[in-house]
Amino acid sequence: MEKTIDESKQGETLVLEQKTENTRKLFIESYGCSMNFSDSEIVASILHKQGYNTTQNLEDADLVLVNTCSIRDKAELTVRKRLEKYNAVKRINPKMKVGVLGCMAERLKSKFLEEEKIVDLVVGPDAYKDLPNLLAEVEDGRDAINVILSKEETYGDIAPVRLNSNGVTAFVSITRGCDNMCTFCVVPFTRGRERSREPQSILEEINDLWNRGYKEITLLGQNVDSYLWYGGGLKKDFDKATDMQKATAVNFAKLLELCAKEQPKMRIRFSTSNPQDLTLDVVETMAKYKNICKHIHLPVQSGSNRILKEMNRLHTREEYFELIDNIRRILPECSISQDMITGFPTETEQDHQDTLSLMEYVKYNFGYMFYYSERPGTLAERKMEDDIPLEVKKKRLDDVVQLQRKHSEYRTKAYLNTEVEVLIERESKKSDQHWSGRTSQNIVAVFPKANFKVGDFVTVKINDCTSATLIGEGVALSNL
């Protein structure tokens, strides 16, 4: 459980349909959050039009790109190892070009290009449309770099290709950047100010996905609850909007409703929420529409008010409890998951116990847990001493993980002898005789294949479970 949200996909080599007229080959890998995987689909779409087909074979590639994450030290170490691998291949194939995309690009641009000379181009999250120009620079024998952060770019005008897709689920990006200056987080510095994508372009992308057979989408943003469209511009400038702009503005609850009504047979998920911005009209909208999945990922990071303040999280423990209580009241069947950090600077044993007691109160369905890893450029790195010994961080993380396992088992056992609706996404990893899919609550369920197929909604009777997986048998096809 102590993994990033998409660690099951870490390093996935992304491939799309091949264009016969394209003569060059692109190898692209992604690390980190769902936004990075979504961005890679945008990059592949841009380069597809520049004559590149994607390949899973590194040795065949003319261009190798790695989409990077700066959230944790482990992610950066993994990317560095991959760059070493790329350059070993490049020595055999000198024409191959190597580039770094994403969140590490801005922070390590000089190191990668000038000091270590391990890449040919460095491209930040807001500069992907400049890739054709940057590649021309590289072809002319010059290093190429663009890490300028934009106040407008949302890529709403680019139809992402779906890479290594199961043809059932897809990401739809609705915001970029983040205005929350959490002291442990590098995202505001690597992805810039928060801006929202025009609602109509979101609906058009959802309609296109439905027409191509997709059954579920996840609305993506660093903080989806902050979504606010009033004709363009940064969220922080909304107070300067005209009266008409304010009157016709679309917030996240309204966008969620628009999406649910646009395709009532398609499942709608969203990620990630922030406790300080999740409003009850969002929860009420979830309750109103059957096709909006009943799951909220609600990172809390710590159960201690003192540590929350040090993290610049703009909510208290008590406010978080009130929000949880309201979610349970409005949407009793909703599952809730968490992000948690142990060993943040100055964390005491009492702070740690506060985290454990918060977990006991909520009893999350699942979570993503880490010990604190100081990230260069963050407020915590600049102003706080990383003063908790590693062995203490790891011990506290183990306490959190063990408690979460207990709560996950408690939550999955509640589904025994009930029927749930599952969307089949793929074959089970453990058995080619079983399907694997997820419930509305984002709980994985496996069951015998029988006559069902990928993309079917199936009513499944739950007979057994582990702490992470429901085990059952398909009863019948169901429809949203």
Side-chain angles (χ1 to χ4, degrees):
M1 287 182 205
E2 59 266 44
K3 63 179 184 177
T4 57
I5 292 177
D6 288 287
E7 199 153 289
S8 60
K9 300 180 182 177
Q10 296 300 288
E12 197 171 79
T13 308
L14 303 164
V15 177
L16 67 152
E17 62 276 7
Q18 306 293 290
K19 250 182 172 177
T20 53
E21 64 269 30
N22 284 357
T23 57
R24 290 176 287 184
K25 293 183 179 178
L26 164 69
F27 178 95
I28 183 167
E29 288 185 327
S30 296
Y31 294 85
C33 68
S34 300
M35 284 296 292
N36 274 9
F37 287 86
S38 179
D39 280 1
S40 289
E41 294 181 336
I42 289 167
V43 168
S45 179
I46 292 167
L47 292 178
H48 207 44
K49 293 173 183 175
Q50 296 297 313
Y52 286 88
N53 279 337
T54 49
T55 178
Q56 285 185 298
N57 190 352
L58 175 62
E59 287 73 15
D60 289 345
D62 299 288
L63 175 63
V64 176
L65 298 175
V66 57
N67 201 342
T68 61
C69 173
S70 276
I71 293 298
R72 290 191 300 152
D73 189 47
K74 182 182 176 185
E76 287 200 6
L77 290 173
T78 302
V79 167
R80 283 192 169 278
K81 285 180 182 174
R82 293 304 291 159
L83 287 172
E84 288 173 14
K85 169 69 174 174
Y86 301 159
N87 279 279
V89 175
K90 192 175 180 180
R91 284 191 284 274
I92 302 166
N93 177 14
K95 290 183 180 178
M96 188 177 91
K97 304 301 179 186
V98 175
V100 169
L101 312 176
C103 292
M104 278 176 73
E106 196 283 331
R107 195 170 71 73
L108 295 175
K109 54 186 181 292
S110 299
K111 206 168 184 60
F112 283 157
L113 275 174
E114 295 157 18
E115 294 175 33
E116 300 180 18
K117 300 187 186 301
I118 53 174
V119 299
D120 302 292
L121 71 159
V122 175
V123 190
D126 290 346
Y128 298 142
K129 285 180 183 174
D130 198 29
L131 268 165
N133 297 326
L134 295 171
L135 287 169
E137 291 280 310
V138 171
E139 290 297 327
D140 288 341
R142 293 187 292 273
D143 291 335
I145 181 168
N146 186 342
V147 293
I148 297 170
L149 293 175
S150 167
K151 292 183 179 180
E152 292 86 29
E153 186 60 77
T154 63
Y155 298 109
D157 58 332
I158 292 179
V161 298
R162 302 299 162 178
L163 300 165
N164 266 14
S165 170
N166 56 14
V168 178
T169 63
F171 295 131
V172 175
S173 178
I174 65 167
T175 70
R176 296 187 74 82
C178 185
D179 286 350
N180 296 326
M181 300 298 288
C182 300
T183 57
F184 56 81
C185 186
V186 76
V187 166
F189 306 104
T190 59
R191 286 189 170 267
R193 281 289 194 174
E194 193 172 274
R195 61 270 188 204
S196 298
R197 181 178 165 190
E198 197 269 322
Q200 192 56 40
S201 76
I202 295 169
L203 296 178
E204 286 169 4
E205 185 173 338
I206 290 171
N207 287 334
D208 176 63
L209 287 165
W210 175 259
N211 291 335
R212 290 161 59 193
Y214 286 81
K215 301 296 180 66
E216 177 184 295
I217 56 104
T218 300
L219 302 175
L220 267 191
Q222 244 72 41
N223 181 9
V224 288
D225 308 292
S226 279
Y227 179 89
L228 183 64
W229 175 262
Y230 59 99
L234 300 175
K235 182 176 181 181
K236 73 178 183 67
D237 294 331
F238 181 62
D239 59 346
K240 300 172 189 169
T242 66
D243 290 343
M244 179 60 76
Q245 285 177 315
K246 288 178 179 177
T248 57
V250 177
N251 66 8
F252 182 58
K254 181 62 177 173
L255 177 70
L256 202 53
E257 181 173 56
L258 288 171
C259 295
K261 289 167 76 172
E262 188 75 11
Q263 288 297 344
K265 298 291 186 183
M266 178 179 257
R267 268 189 184 177
I268 313 291
R269 296 190 186 276
F270 58 88
S271 184
T272 295
S273 291
N274 189 306
Q276 71 201 43
D277 296 306
L278 177 62
T279 50
L280 294 187
D281 58 348
V282 171
V283 185
E284 287 160 355
T285 302
M286 293 173 69
K288 187 176 175 182
Y289 295 95
K290 184 174 185 282
N291 62 324
I292 300 177
C293 290
K294 309 308 186 251
H295 167 241
I296 300 175
H297 185 59
L298 199 60
V300 66
Q301 310 301 357
S302 173
S304 160
N305 277 337
R306 192 183 69 79
I307 293 296
L308 288 171
K309 192 171 182 180
E310 291 290 325
M311 290 176 164
N312 198 35
R313 301 287 285 179
L314 303 182
H315 64 86
T316 64
R317 169 190 178 93
E318 290 75 24
E319 287 167 338
Y320 190 84
F321 285 157
E322 183 181 357
L323 179 57
I324 294 292
D325 291 345
N326 280 321
I327 293 170
R328 302 271 193 232
R329 173 179 58 82
I330 298 167
L331 206 55
E333 71 271 34
C334 188
S335 62
I336 302 173
S337 53
Q338 48 87 347
D339 286 351
M340 205 74 75
I341 297 171
T342 65
F344 191 76
T346 76
E347 184 184 70
T348 65
E349 184 58 31
Q350 182 56 54
D351 294 325
H352 175 55
Q353 292 302 319
D354 286 348
T355 292
L356 297 178
S357 69
L358 179 140
M359 292 178 69
E360 285 286 10
Y361 185 92
V362 180
K363 292 184 173 62
Y364 295 99
N365 292 75
F366 55 93
Y368 306 100
M369 296 147 283
F370 320 91
Y371 62 76
Y372 176 68
S373 167
E374 187 176 77
R375 308 315 300 130
T378 59
L379 292 168
E381 185 263 342
R382 296 204 301 269
K383 296 184 177 180
M384 301 176 190
E385 181 188 351
D386 187 4
D387 60 351
I388 308 299
L390 182 59
E391 61 270 21
V392 175
K393 289 180 183 179
K394 288 184 174 180
K395 168 63 172 66
R396 289 175 182 170
L397 176 61
D398 187 60
D399 291 344
V400 167
V401 169
Q402 295 307 321
L403 186 57
Q404 183 56 62
R405 284 206 181 111
K406 174 185 160 187
H407 293 158
S408 294
E409 186 174 10
Y410 166 79
R411 291 296 182 190
T412 53
K413 279 184 174 177
Y415 289 100
L416 290 175
N417 302 313
T418 69
E419 292 185 351
V420 297
E421 185 181 73
V422 177
L423 172 58
I424 300 175
E425 296 180 23
R426 60 180 62 86
E427 197 173 80
S428 168
K429 291 177 182 176
K430 293 186 177 179
S431 165
D432 61 6
Q433 299 303 306
H434 288 73
W435 290 126
S436 174
R438 285 177 297 160
T439 68
S440 173
Q441 288 77 15
N442 207 29
I443 310 298
V444 173
V446 297
F447 56 96
K449 284 186 171 179
N451 295 319
F452 305 115
K453 64 184 186 300
V454 169
D456 283 345
F457 288 100
V458 181
T459 300
V460 178
K461 171 76 182 301
I462 303 304
N463 303 317
D464 199 1
C465 67
T466 68
S467 63
T469 306
L470 302 176
I471 302 164
E473 56 187 319
V475 175
L477 286 172
S478 66
N479 288 298
L480 265 180

